[in-house]
Amino acid sequence: MNREPNHRLKYYLAPLEGLTTYVFRRAYHKYFGGIDKYFTPFITGRGLSSRGQNEILPEHNAGMRLVPQILTNRADEFLELAGQITDYGYDTVNLNLGCPSGTVTAKKRGAGFLEFPDELKRFLDEIYAKCPIKVSIKTRIGISDISEWERLLQVYAEFPMGELIIHPRLQREFYKGQPHRDAFRRAQESISVPLCYNGDITSHESLSTLLEELPSVDTVMIGRGILQRPYLPALFKGDIQTDSTENILPSLRAFHDELLEGYQAIMSGDLPTLHKMKDFWAFFSCGFESPEKYLKKIRKANKITDYKIAVNDLFQACPVTFSGCTGCRSCCTPKEKTPPPP
Ligand SMILES: Cc1cc2nc3c(=O)[nH]c(=O)nc-3n(C[C@H](O)[C@H](O)[C@H](O)COP(=O)(O)O)c2cc1C
């Protein structure tokens, strides 16, 4: 397995609704970095909500290259949001065609829009004609059968997209099974837009396997792998020299504490803050050896003081684990959140 630093690849942080918020990204950028582009979790509705605004405010994203993401199937809604995003100085907006959650797809949004390629094409015709800034797309490869991918590729080939980010799974697969790497290869052969690979990169091993199978990939987007092991891109790039617990634990701790303080500063009361932190630990705990006993205490905590004791115990007792997580019930089979009401 190749563990040499990879300076050729570009690394993107995947958007994860409720998890990779601006509070997360800010703390992440301070302690780990190594990310070439950050994406906001999806923004939806008519016009920017205060949540959407907070995600994209330049002062909340200082020093980062950020791409705001929109989830909609209505061109007027997309263009209104994209117009507001443009006013904040952004030069690219991303369209979510990947969310597999039932409540989203039932409304023909996210991956649900992929079932209607002709309608999708009309939508793209309008937004590419009128959007004042570049539009990139994040997509799955179809709904229930990989044969759907060919038609979608034909549609995508018609548009001058800044970038196409592909999570090569079907909507019906959610996060199960292996990503269809052959579908990514098919995109490499058939369209000329810049491509980014996304899916299941959680360790040196998984990155090496990907690059053996798809050697010309030059950009990868990582989601759950970064929540489990936030230092992963810095490690891949060689910015961190070794992957030992002593080397990595202090920054994991400082990052965690800043995340907690960040949420405490904007949320009212212990419970909403703890809710956020517990969602984060569903992934973050997978970066530690045998965290279960401590994780249970974290999950049970209803007060910040109890939570802090449980977190201290975990940091003291559990060494960092460097092998990727495969098949756990917490981060490997996540439920994607449904969008908040507009
Ligand atoms: C809890 C959760 C929330 C997500 N939210 C979004 C989102 O807002 N926008 C989006 O494009 N993808 C979203 N995704 C999908 C991820 O961006 C990514 O495509 C997926 O997790 C696969 O990449 P990974 O294996 O590196 O995690 C979400 C995934 C999860 C598990």
Side-chain angles (χ1 to χ4, degrees):
M1 190 214 4
N2 182 7
R3 298 192 73 141
E4 287 300 304
N6 194 320
H7 299 294
R8 182 182 64 86
L9 282 185
K10 281 185 278 173
Y11 300 91
Y12 295 173
L13 174 71
L16 283 93
E17 160 63 13
L19 291 156
T20 59
T21 60
Y22 76 91
V23 176
F24 176 97
R25 298 191 303 271
R26 207 162 48 183
Y28 184 85
H29 189 65
K30 178 166 167 187
Y31 289 102
F32 299 103
I35 293 292
D36 296 283
K37 250 184 226 176
Y38 292 86
F39 290 73
T40 69
F42 60 74
I43 296 169
T44 191
R46 282 215 79 101
L48 272 179
S49 61
S50 65
R51 185 189 76 92
Q53 223 165 22
N54 274 321
E55 283 299 326
I56 67 167
L57 276 177
E59 57 267 38
H60 288 169
N61 297 284
M64 297 171 227
R65 170 111 171 76
L66 179 72
V67 179
Q69 184 188 69
I70 296 177
L71 173 85
T72 185
N73 60 8
R74 294 188 45 165
D76 57 345
E77 208 168 275
F78 181 95
L79 291 166
E80 187 175 336
L81 278 170
Q84 288 179 288
I85 287 167
T86 309
D87 293 341
Y88 280 94
Y90 290 94
D91 67 0
T92 308
V93 68
N94 181 261
L95 172 68
N96 179 330
L97 292 174
C99 182
S101 143
T103 43
V104 169
T105 56
K107 291 186 195 147
K108 241 197 255 180
R109 301 191 297 180
F113 209 175
L114 303 177
E115 197 172 347
F116 307 93
D118 295 336
E119 207 177 311
L120 174 62
K121 184 184 163 328
R122 284 195 293 278
F123 167 88
L124 295 177
D125 274 334
E126 188 168 351
I127 65 165
Y128 275 98
K130 296 184 184 161
C131 186
I133 52 177
K134 281 183 274 180
V135 180
S136 69
I137 291 181
K138 179 166 180 282
T139 188
R140 287 194 176 227
I141 58 171
I143 300 287
S144 55
D145 194 299
I146 40 178
S147 61
E148 297 164 37
W149 186 223
E150 281 302 315
R151 173 72 184 120
L152 291 168
L153 281 173
Q154 279 170 6
V155 171
Y156 291 150
E158 289 186 37
F159 297 95
M161 59 185 74
E163 188 162 46
L164 180 63
I165 301 157
I166 303 172
H167 178 59
R169 280 195 173 96
L170 298 161
Q171 181 269 329
R172 295 268 159 85
E173 292 171 323
F174 285 85
Y175 295 95
K176 291 193 207 92
Q178 294 299 313
H180 300 277
R181 299 250 164 93
D182 44 340
F184 190 89
R185 190 173 302 112
R186 187 69 199 116
Q188 288 179 315
E189 289 161 3
S190 62
I191 53 177
S192 55
V193 300
L195 298 179
C196 168
Y197 178 90
N198 166 238
D200 296 29
I201 299 172
T202 57
S203 62
H204 264 299
E205 288 79 358
S206 49
L207 181 65
S208 290
T209 311
L210 169 72
L211 295 176
E212 273 161 35
E213 288 178 31
L214 297 169
S216 55
V217 162
D218 61 9
T219 308
V220 293
M221 173 180 265
I222 309 178
R224 291 167 295 165
I226 284 182
L227 289 171
Q228 296 158 6
R229 294 176 188 76
Y231 49 85
L232 220 49
L235 195 64
F236 291 159
K237 283 188 162 175
D239 295 346
I240 296 176
Q241 295 312 323
T242 62
D243 44 6
S244 70
T245 294
E246 306 79 70
N247 200 25
I248 279 162
L249 207 60
S251 31
L252 287 178
R253 182 72 219 230
F255 166 62
H256 165 275
D257 292 354
E258 182 127 345
L259 193 59
L260 176 63
E261 276 169 32
Y263 283 133
Q264 280 186 290
I266 59 164
M267 309 201 91
S268 49
D270 284 8
L271 284 179
T273 306
L274 289 175
H275 187 75
K276 277 276 181 231
M277 295 308 292
K278 290 175 192 181
D279 280 353
F280 166 70
W281 274 102
F283 297 86
F284 192 52
S285 62
C286 297
F288 296 87
E289 267 174 44
S290 309
E292 296 77 15
K293 180 171 138 198
Y294 307 96
L295 190 59
K296 225 172 172 177
K297 282 202 219 156
I298 291 175
R299 288 205 179 112
K300 276 173 80 176
N302 286 324
K303 293 197 197 109
I304 295 283
T305 42
D306 297 338
Y307 169 84
K308 283 185 172 169
I309 293 169
V311 167
N312 274 339
D313 291 350
L314 188 148
F315 271 108
Q316 266 170 28
C318 304
V320 173
T321 164
F322 296 97
S323 52
C325 190
T326 45
C328 80
R329 284 172 61 194
S330 143
C331 67
C332 296
T333 48
K335 287 196 176 57
E336 209 156 318
K337 295 265 172 68
T338 51

